[in-house]
Amino acid sequence: MSKKVCVIGLGYIGLPTAALLANRGYDIHGVDVVKSTVDTINRGEIHIVEPELDTFVQAAVNSGKLKASLTPDIADIFIIAVPTPFHEGYVPNVDYVVSATKAITPYVKAGDIVILESTSPVGTTDLVEETLKEEGVDTSKLYIAHCPERVLPGQIMRELVENDRIVGGITPEATEKTVEFYKTFVSGEVLSTDARTAEMAKLTENSFRDTNIAFANELSILCDKFGIDVWELIKLTNRHPRVNVLQPGAGVGGHCIAVDPWFIVHAGGDDAKIIRAAREINTYKTEWSIEKIKNAALTFEKENGRKAKVACMGLAFKPDIDDLREAPALYITNTLKAQDFEVLAVEPNISTHSNFNIVNHNDALVKADIIVYLVAHKEFKNLKVNNDKIIIDFCGINKEK
Ligand code: SAJ
């Protein structure tokens, strides 16, 4: 008989994982607290944008292998994939992990595997065990482990299979059982460690990237001051065999890299110096960008006796996706609008937005006085722009990288 997997949280990680496992022969009981999400999935449809996900979900639902529900069910394996945001002041918020754990307590039985996939502060897998104990579950008969997700939005279905995975159990037996499970559908290596190391590994990966992007963003600010083209500089320095500077932009967005380093900083306090500084630099880059745009718009107004129309090219948190979560481009556009600047919001990957009329990029190029490249979407590359327009480019749109 097929093993049954209960996946708690059907978002960017839970749903692709559920759909993949269903297509690999597992019986999947997916759980979400949002009824419309459950209904959408049960119709074989999806509520998020991710290449290939629709095909996987449709096939899984049609074959009867994937069912979504508002409540958990008995299963052999439980996967918790719920959000871990932060409270005010960058204090990690693991409330959803705790409530998901409580929700599964009536259904877990001896011999089951309970996996936390959500990116979590160090110690959260232990908290899952403590919560189960408090709810009266005998955890000595369960296999509890952390296996952080590592997939890149836009490539989730491929990376879920191909990426190496890190598994850290709260006991060596839990690690072993969980590794066996991942090996049934992962073609990358499945690496063993303990729960705390696995938690820290995930936070380290995203902090490493954040720190490296901060370096590039700091360089971009310095180069602006020194009159140097930062993209040419980076291209040249990256020809050194041991140098690989990342790309500057309008800041760092998304729900991972702009969030996870704070989990380390919160626990590490004054000892987390570089990681904190990187977060601050990346946030500062967004504010610095706003100041640049405002200065250009005010100079235009002074010289022309009318307000400048500013085309904000891109709202998403990175190129070629429709995801606006924690997006610096959206924040910049919102801030300019809130301060009474005339903005034309351009985002080819969405058709509507509650705060803006979405303007086609070709129309924006004609109407705007100032064109600000915020996101390097493919639609924005090599566009012909009239000489009389002022261009502010934060993402090196036409630069060779
Ligand atoms: N960015 C730059 N310059 C760069 C690279 C990225 O400014 O050179 C910016 C992007 O524009 C974006 C932000 O960084 O605003 C984050 O984008 P990303 O593509 O670096 O990463 P995410 O947030 O889409 O996904 C990351 C990945 N982590 C790493 O690459 C270490 C992914 O593997 C994780 O699974 C994901 O976080 C997650 O869920 O934690």
Side-chain angles (χ1 to χ4, degrees):
M1 230 189 58
S2 311
K3 287 220 159 137
K4 185 161 167 182
V5 183
C6 182
V7 180
I8 318 291
L10 297 173
Y12 279 87
I13 301 303
L15 182 58
T17 305
L20 174 73
L21 289 172
N23 282 278
R24 294 297 177 97
Y26 287 97
D27 286 317
I28 307 297
H29 182 86
V31 181
D32 205 281
V33 289
V34 180
K35 188 170 182 309
S36 59
T37 299
V38 168
D39 293 342
T40 305
I41 295 166
N42 282 333
R43 285 197 304 271
E45 292 164 14
I46 57 176
H47 61 297
I48 49 181
V49 175
E50 177 61 32
E52 290 184 66
L53 179 62
D54 52 349
T55 320
F56 273 82
V57 170
Q58 201 179 40
V61 171
N62 287 347
S63 66
K65 286 281 186 187
L66 170 61
K67 290 190 184 75
S69 166
L70 288 166
T71 48
D73 198 0
I74 49 159
D76 305 294
I77 299 152
F78 292 84
I79 298 178
I80 298 173
V82 293
T84 43
F86 44 64
H87 294 294
E88 195 72 23
Y90 304 118
V91 178
N93 174 355
V94 293
D95 294 354
Y96 297 118
V97 175
V98 172
S99 54
T101 307
K102 285 185 179 165
I104 63 171
T105 50
Y107 306 97
V108 286
K109 58 183 185 314
D112 285 353
I113 304 176
V114 177
I115 303 162
L116 175 65
E117 278 217 9
S118 313
T119 303
S120 298
V122 174
T124 310
T125 315
D126 291 332
L127 180 64
V128 168
E129 185 187 27
E130 277 159 35
T131 306
L132 287 167
K133 273 187 182 156
E134 277 166 22
E135 296 288 303
V137 176
D138 178 1
T139 56
S140 68
K141 303 216 164 56
L142 295 178
Y143 302 102
I144 303 170
H146 183 49
C147 179
E149 61 82 12
R150 303 170 116 177
V151 287
L152 194 74
Q155 303 182 25
I156 293 181
M157 297 319 295
R158 183 175 63 74
E159 291 205 359
L160 268 181
V161 177
E162 290 180 5
N163 286 3
D164 293 346
R165 297 297 290 257
I166 298 175
V167 171
I170 55 169
T171 60
E173 296 73 36
T175 308
E176 204 179 303
K177 283 273 181 192
T178 310
V179 167
E180 266 172 40
F181 167 61
Y182 280 93
K183 279 191 171 166
T184 64
F185 65 96
V186 169
S187 68
E189 267 189 71
V190 186
L191 309 159
S192 305
T193 183
D194 57 67
R196 290 173 71 85
T197 310
E199 288 159 348
M200 188 62 179
K202 166 67 195 210
L203 302 181
T204 302
E205 289 161 16
N206 281 353
S207 299
F208 175 86
R209 195 151 168 85
D210 197 43
T211 307
N212 282 280
I213 298 168
F215 183 80
N217 277 333
E218 182 160 301
L219 275 182
S220 71
I221 293 171
L222 293 171
C223 283
D224 185 74
K225 200 178 231 174
F226 303 158
I228 292 171
D229 178 338
V230 69
W231 285 280
E232 189 193 350
L233 175 85
I234 292 173
K235 202 176 74 181
L236 293 169
T237 57
N238 284 353
R239 296 294 289 270
H240 183 289
R242 284 172 296 284
V243 173
N244 184 17
V245 181
L246 294 183
Q247 298 300 316
V252 168
H255 36 100
C256 310
I257 295 189
V259 176
D260 302 350
W262 288 118
F263 293 178
I264 297 181
V265 174
H266 179 255
D270 285 346
D271 291 323
K273 289 188 174 50
I274 291 186
I275 296 172
R276 178 194 289 272
R279 269 294 67 240
E280 286 168 354
I281 291 165
N282 286 331
T283 306
Y284 171 65
K285 182 65 194 287
T286 307
E287 299 298 338
W288 182 88
S289 306
I290 292 172
E291 284 311 305
K292 278 257 154 205
I293 303 166
K294 280 166 58 177
N295 286 340
L298 294 174
T299 307
F300 178 95
E301 191 172 334
K302 217 183 257 166
E303 285 170 1
N304 295 275
R306 65 173 175 87
K307 275 194 162 183
K309 288 195 180 68
V310 182
C312 292
M313 305 292 279
L315 300 176
F317 89 81
K318 65 177 187 176
D320 305 324
I321 59 165
D322 69 337
D323 193 338
L324 308 189
R325 287 178 296 173
E326 322 288 336
L330 177 64
Y331 174 77
I332 290 170
T333 312
N334 269 328
T335 306
L336 292 172
K337 187 181 170 200
Q339 295 183 13
D340 272 345
F341 288 89
E342 264 189 52
V343 295
L344 304 164
V346 182
E347 179 44 74
N349 297 294
I350 61 172
S351 45
T352 55
H353 189 273
S354 54
N355 214 7
F356 306 103
N357 288 324
I358 299 296
V359 181
N360 171 279
H361 53 274
N362 289 316
D363 295 344
L365 291 191
V366 176
K367 286 185 193 147
D369 305 299
I370 302 176
I371 296 159
V372 186
Y373 290 108
L374 296 170
V375 189
H377 288 314
K378 59 181 184 316
E379 290 83 354
F380 301 161
K381 299 207 170 167
N382 303 316
L383 291 175
K384 238 182 109 34
V385 180
N386 271 359
N387 285 341
D388 60 337
K389 310 283 178 184
I390 298 162
I391 294 179
I392 306 177
D393 182 6
F394 294 118
C395 56
I397 189 71
N398 294 321
K399 302 284 180 176
E400 203 188 304
K401 289 170 188 151

